[in-house]
Amino acid sequence: MSEHLEHIILARDHIWSRSTIRPQLAVILGSGLGSLADELEVDVVIPYGDIPGFPQSTVAGHAGQLVLGKLEGKNVVMMQGRFHYYEGHTMPKIVFPIRVLAALGARMLIVTNSAGGLNPDFEPGDVMLISDHINVMGTNALIGPNEDAIGPRFPDMTHTYAPDLQALTKHIANRMGIPLRQGIYAAVSGPTYETRAERRYLRIIGGDAVGMSTVPEVTAANHAGMRILGLSAITNKATGDVDQEPDSHEDVLAMAQVAGKKLVQLVRRVINAVPVLEYMNPADLVELIAREPDMIAEIIDHTLLKPDATSQQIKQLCEEALEFEFASVCINPIHVRYAVSLLADSPVKVGTVVGFPLGAVTVEDKIREAKQAIDDGATEVDMVINIGAIKEGNDALVEREIASVVNTAHIRGVLCKVIIEAGLLENEEKERVSLLAKKAGADYVKTSTGFTAGGATVEDVILMRQTVGPHMGVKAAGGIRTYDRLKEMVSAGANRIGTSTSVTIMKEIGEEK
Ligand code: HPA
């Protein structure tokens, strides 16, 4: 094991020894945003100085401590104070705490910062959802020997800011009446604020906000397979125009308080609504379900895909989803609009199917169906692959159709699951298509439509989980009708379950307790 990894484990073990909290998600609090930690039911506060290997924060406004506790019923670890490149820390030092957060078990990272508004429409006090970033720091957080145990040498950054978390955050901000900006964060090294010419340059290359942090942490978190949500408090105008006021750190901190108030409430609501279960390590999920079986509802797609489903039945399905707080309803496209109207203002997602149930339509048709469903308000799409194409080795076609639907979905913040119809495939074919789905950036691979003879099998789920690794979703669907069967699927590595007997299963759990 490398020395770096050994240090990570030492730090993790130190934190574990001081708290019983096993965090599901991590939050990095930017300058002036530390008050989110006040909302936490605190279990323990650990000064960075106590944690072996942690660097020390040197900037005013950054407290420099790790806070573990519960927020909205979820186990949370917060970094109150972060490390900046301009402080003189090396990149391995800056990313060290992030790797420790991942080692603690947090699969999701919410990162906040304060930033200057490059976009002339932005005003100090605004909150911006980070949809992507540009690294103009002149270095990269992962330069140096790769830690293969953490992630790959050349990590993909296409879907760094999780589309579904972005969609969820927009939805919540909308409901709270918080106007949410959205844009691209450009990271500079600092510590100087930018010249006007530099800001005009950053605008030209596509930046909406500029700051001196976040990108190294996000790069390391993405490398470690974490799901990331980024939010900026816009603290000053940074347009580079002639009328721009001179910058001062004090003004930035003062405005961070203003935007910070909104940000704190928003993050709190996001933490409340976020389905942490599906971002957990498969092994941790098994343990959690054993302790708190009711929570299984959070990973169930409450499904009704039969051809004779009526509006009345869809209404009942949605009411049940609200009552049991299922992850989503999974329905045919024709019912999407109605379900969206019934589930508006709830965290229950509306999922639908594309190329269903045979998968044997053209790529263009699949794209069109996905677009239509998303226009109608669907927030998850389950697409069936072209099964014949996999059989005849036409991987290029399958990759193209998956990538097209994934991109159509992700651009609108919609999650995409790829149905491989495992019952019709040989093991080698199942592996090949799972890898294609992973390469194309899909969020899940899913066993079956439920419309062929073979439903989900434990063997298929194990094979798919082994193939895609711990960070991608695996959805088991088809023939899961009892709690025992559902538990088998979760133990095999599934972190989403599609079933039409969800209510019976929940009642079964209620009786067992
Ligand atoms: N530039 C860089 N970092 C910042 C700014 C800015 O204008 N405002 C807050 N952090």
Side-chain angles (χ1 to χ4, degrees):
M1 195 188 298
S2 77
E3 216 177 309
H4 189 67
L5 271 181
E6 276 173 18
H7 287 154
I8 291 168
I9 289 168
L10 267 178
R12 179 201 67 185
D13 290 350
H14 177 86
I15 297 161
W16 273 353
S17 76
R18 293 182 61 172
S19 176
T20 52
I21 295 280
R22 295 291 173 264
Q24 299 159 318
L25 64 97
V27 186
I28 302 178
L29 303 167
S31 357
L33 304 173
S35 65
L36 186 61
D38 300 339
E39 311 264 320
L40 211 62
E41 273 169 58
V42 175
D43 180 59
V44 67
V45 176
I46 310 179
Y48 290 156
D50 288 4
I51 308 172
F54 255 58
Q56 300 295 306
S57 180
T58 63
V59 196
H62 292 253
Q65 54 194 19
L66 210 60
V67 187
L68 287 98
K70 277 197 173 272
L71 187 59
E72 302 288 340
K74 280 156 184 147
N75 294 345
V76 181
V77 54
M78 291 190 180
M79 279 184 71
Q80 204 172 18
R82 56 143 62 91
F83 305 102
H84 301 87
Y85 188 47
Y86 63 72
E87 292 175 76
H89 298 297
T90 61
M91 281 296 171
K93 277 280 178 196
I94 294 173
V95 303
F96 181 81
I98 310 306
R99 292 177 163 170
V100 174
L101 298 179
L104 287 170
R107 299 265 23 98
M108 189 182 140
L109 177 70
I110 302 179
V111 47
T112 63
N113 58 46
S114 52
L118 298 166
N119 187 322
D121 293 340
F122 291 5
E123 293 297 331
D126 280 351
V127 174
M128 184 187 92
L129 175 68
I130 304 178
S131 54
D132 208 343
H133 74 225
I134 304 176
N135 179 2
V136 207
M137 291 186 129
T139 184
N140 187 292
L142 300 180
I143 287 175
N146 187 53
E147 295 294 345
D148 292 335
I150 296 176
R153 171 74 287 190
F154 300 106
D156 174 57
M157 295 281 282
T158 315
H159 306 283
T160 301
Y161 297 88
D164 57 321
L165 295 181
Q166 289 186 54
L168 179 73
T169 306
K170 281 193 257 185
H171 174 72
I172 292 172
N174 198 11
R175 238 173 33 195
M176 293 173 74
I178 294 180
L180 189 63
R181 307 292 192 171
Q182 183 173 354
I184 293 170
Y185 178 89
V188 293
S189 71
T192 55
Y193 289 108
E194 307 70 39
T195 64
R196 285 178 37 222
E198 284 165 346
R199 286 175 170 171
R200 291 196 303 273
Y201 160 75
L202 294 171
R203 277 168 69 177
I204 289 167
I205 63 171
D208 293 293
V210 55
M212 306 173 193
S213 67
T214 301
V215 163
E217 294 124 314
V218 162
T219 304
N222 177 66
H223 183 235
M226 295 173 96
R227 309 276 295 190
I228 299 161
L229 173 69
L231 290 160
S232 293
I234 303 297
T235 51
N236 54 298
K237 283 250 182 219
T239 56
D241 291 337
V242 276
D243 56 355
Q244 187 196 279
E245 302 277 327
D247 303 298
S248 89
H249 183 55
E250 290 66 35
D251 291 350
V252 164
L253 285 183
M255 279 323 284
Q257 300 287 350
V258 175
K261 286 207 172 66
K262 288 186 249 176
L263 231 164
V264 163
Q265 290 319 313
L266 179 61
V267 170
R268 186 178 180 136
R269 295 280 281 272
V270 169
I271 290 176
N272 172 287
V274 87
V276 281
L277 258 53
E278 64 180 311
Y279 303 123
M280 285 178 90
N281 275 326
D284 295 341
L285 182 59
V286 174
E287 199 193 308
L288 180 74
I289 297 299
R291 265 187 290 124
E292 299 185 51
D294 282 346
M295 289 190 78
I296 197 87
E298 269 195 37
I299 61 162
I300 292 180
D301 290 342
H302 191 34
T303 304
L304 183 61
L305 287 166
K306 56 181 194 154
D308 56 344
T310 62
S311 299
Q312 186 51 40
Q313 288 171 330
I314 295 294
K315 182 159 184 269
Q316 188 185 339
L317 189 85
C318 292
E319 285 166 1
E320 289 163 350
L322 286 170
E323 181 187 343
F324 292 97
E325 300 183 347
F326 292 126
S328 77
V329 291
C330 184
I331 53 180
N332 274 305
I334 191 73
H335 301 296
V336 166
R337 280 187 196 205
Y338 182 47
V340 167
S341 73
L342 296 175
L343 295 170
D345 295 329
S346 90
V348 178
K349 298 180 179 185
V350 176
T352 191
V353 286
V354 163
F356 200 79
L358 305 178
V361 297
T362 62
V363 179
E364 290 67 30
D365 277 338
K366 287 182 189 175
I367 298 172
R368 211 163 24 76
E369 280 182 35
K371 276 205 176 110
Q372 175 73 54
I374 295 165
D375 283 346
D376 288 348
T379 46
E380 302 201 345
V381 293
D382 294 16
M383 73 161 286
V384 190
I385 57 141
N386 185 326
I387 303 156
I390 275 295
K391 293 231 161 260
E392 65 194 29
N394 192 351
D395 290 13
L397 174 74
V398 178
E399 186 173 343
R400 185 159 70 85
E401 64 172 4
I402 299 175
S404 304
V405 173
V406 167
N407 291 337
T408 306
H410 281 182
I411 223 158
R412 306 271 300 271
V414 168
L415 210 90
C416 182
K417 314 188 198 105
V418 174
I419 309 177
I420 70 170
E421 202 65 278
L424 297 181
L425 300 179
E426 304 299 326
N427 280 351
E428 177 275 323
E429 293 163 342
K430 293 171 203 171
E431 280 174 24
R432 193 149 41 86
V433 70
S434 297
L435 286 175
L436 288 178
K438 184 175 180 181
K439 185 168 166 209
D443 301 281
Y444 281 80
V445 277
K446 168 174 169 185
T447 54
S448 343
T449 56
F451 273 71
T452 56
T457 70
V458 166
E459 294 72 29
D460 284 342
V461 172
I462 291 173
L463 178 76
M464 289 157 72
R465 171 56 69 205
Q466 273 172 354
T467 308
V468 301
H471 302 314
M472 188 176 172
V474 174
K475 174 173 171 182
I480 304 169
R481 300 214 172 78
T482 63
Y483 181 43
D484 278 342
R485 188 76 183 140
L486 190 155
K487 276 190 288 190
E488 277 173 23
M489 292 299 162
V490 174
S491 299
N495 56 346
R496 214 38 118 81
I497 303 290
T499 174
S500 53
T501 45
S502 340
V503 171
T504 318
I505 292 174
M506 293 311 293
K507 290 193 172 146
E508 217 187 306
I509 293 171
E511 280 158 21
E512 265 187 33
K513 280 211 306 192

